[in-house]
Amino acid sequence: MTDTHPQRHSHIFLDEGHEKNERRMWMVIGLCSLMMIAEIVGGILFGSIALVADGLHMSTHAGALLLAALAYTYARKHANDGRFTFGTGKLGDLAGFTSAVILAMITMLIAYEAITRLFLPVPISFNEVIPIAFVGLAVNIASAWLLSGTNHHHGHGHHAHGHDHDSDSHRISASDKFLILTIYEDGVPPRFRLSAESGTTLLPASTIIETVRPDGTRQEFKMVKREGYLESVDEIPEPHAFKACVAIGKGDQRREYPVAFEEHQRDQAMHRDNNMRAAVIHVIADAAVSVLVITGLLFARFKGWLWMDPMAGIVGSLVIASWSFGLVRDTGAILLDMNPDRGMSERVRTTIEADGDCLTDLHLWRLGPGHLGAILSVATAKPRGPEHYRRLLDRFHNLSHVTIEVLQAKTPIRLSPSV
C-alpha cells in the first residue's frame, strides 16, 4: 500500500525569504554595474589602465552575482512547473556550486599572477592604484550591507525559540494505549500537552508531570483538561533539556512514564540558502582581497617592501580557495542527494519502530532551504495504513514531502538494527 496523495502535495520548496533575497541581489548587481561602468569609462577618458583593469575585475564580480540573481528568478517563475519532479528548490544549490567553481578558477588566476610578480616585480602606480583599492573596498562593504538584511537560516514551520522541535514531541506506550507528550509553543508560551494517539481515551486531570534538569532542579506541572487533551497550567522555562516523568492515576493505580527531552540546536546547513551564501562569499572574498591589497600597497609605498603586494595576493587566494572548497563540498552533497541529517534519520526510525513495526527502507534528502523529502517503506503485522505513519511523522516539521509504502506482514516484525 503506497500513499502519495499528489493532490495534497505542494512542490514549492523555496526559502521563506526567496523573493526578498532576489530583490537584494538585483540591487547589488545594479551597484556593481554602475561602479564597473564608471571605472571603465573614467579609465578610458583619463588614460588610467589601472582604473580600466579594476572595472573589468568588477565585471567578473557582477557576473557571478548575476548568476545568483537569475537562479532566484528562474526558481520562482518555474516553482509550479510540473517538469521539475520535486520543484526548483535546489536550483540555488546548483547556482552556488557553479559560482564556487568559478571562484576557484579566479583564485588560481590570482595565485598565478601573484607568484609571477613575486619573482618578476613590475612597477606600481601607487597614486592611482591605492585610491582604486579603497573605492573597491567601499563597494564591497556596501554590497555586503545590502545582502546582510537577509536571514540566511530561515526556518520552516514553528520554531520560535531556535531549536529543532522534532524532538519536542514524544510517543509514550502506556498499557494498551499510546500517548503523545508535546511541548507546545506555536505563538504561545511553552506548555506540556498530553493526548491519546487514538483521540478517544480519557486522561485523568490528576495527571502530573515532573521535570528533573541536569543540575537536579525539580518542577511539578499540574494539568488541566482541554478539548481532547491535557495541558500544563504553568509555562515551561527554557532550556527544554530535562527528564520528564508523566504520572497518571492515584494510589495503586498510579503509573509513571519517563521521557527525556533534549535541546537541539537547529541544523543551519539544512536551512541555509546556498545561492545567497555563494553571493556573500563573492562579496566577502573581494572585500578580503581589497584589504590585503591595500595593506600590501601601503607597505610597498611607504616601506619599499614591493614583495608585500604579491604576497597579499597569495594569502588572499588561499583564503578564497578554502571558502570555495567548503561551498563546493556542501552544495555538491545536496545535488547528489546525500542524507542531510543522520540524526533525523535515526529519530524517524525510532519513531516508526517504537511499536514493533520495521522501517525497511528510508531515503532522506534536501528539496530546498528548510525543506526535506522522505520516502519510507514500513513492514507491519498490524492493520495500519499510511496515514498512521504520517501522524507519527508530523512532529518532524522539516519533512515537506513524504511518500510512505506500507507492507503487510503475516508474522510479527523484528526491530531492524539500522536503516
Side-chain angles (χ1 to χ4, degrees), residues 86-152:
F86 290 104
T88 57
K90 290 203 293 188
L91 192 63
D93 300 297
L94 177 60
F97 180 87
T98 305
S99 187
V101 172
I102 295 174
L103 189 61
M105 296 173 64
I106 294 174
T107 299
M108 289 189 287
L109 292 175
I110 293 174
Y112 174 79
E113 183 67 19
I115 293 173
T116 300
R117 292 196 176 194
L118 188 62
F119 294 99
L120 298 172
V122 298
I124 301 175
S125 301
F126 294 106
N127 294 334
E128 288 183 341
V129 176
I130 292 177
I132 291 173
F134 274 105
V135 172
L137 178 60
V139 171
N140 287 317
I141 292 175
S143 299
W145 178 79
L146 286 171
L147 297 177
S148 66
T150 305
N151 181 4
H152 304 299

Side-chain angles (χ1 to χ4, degrees), residues 28 31-32 35-36 38-39 50-51 53-55 57-59 61 65 128-145 282-294 297:
V28 173
L31 176 63
C32 293
M35 181 65 187
M36 174 190 70
E39 286 188 327
L51 203 57
D54 196 66
H57 165 72
M58 187 63 70
S59 69
H61 185 54
L65 296 176
E128 288 183 341
V129 176
I130 292 177
I132 291 173
F134 274 105
V135 172
L137 178 60
V139 171
N140 287 317
I141 292 175
S143 299
W145 178 79
H282 269 282
V283 171
I284 294 177
D286 216 30
V289 170
S290 294
V291 171
L292 289 170
V293 166
I294 290 171
L297 288 173

Side-chain angles (χ1 to χ4, degrees), residues 157-163 165 168 182-193 226 229 231-238 240:
H158 316 287
H159 308 299
H161 294 268
H163 50 264
H165 289 243
D168 279 351
T182 303
I183 296 179
Y184 185 83
E185 53 181 324
D186 289 357
V188 296
R191 286 182 169 85
F192 285 114
R193 284 190 177 183
R226 304 296 186 195
Y229 58 90
E231 184 175 75
S232 62
V233 176
D234 298 326
E235 300 175 14
I236 308 171
E238 296 276 3
H240 297 167

Side-chain angles (χ1 to χ4, degrees), residues 62-73:
L65 296 176
L66 179 62
L67 176 64
L70 291 175
Y72 276 125
T73 302

Side-chain angles (χ1 to χ4, degrees), residues 11-15 75 86-93 366-369:
H11 289 167
I12 301 178
F13 303 122
L14 304 180
D15 186 59
F86 290 104
T88 57
K90 290 203 293 188
L91 192 63
D93 300 297
R366 192 175 115 142
L367 300 167

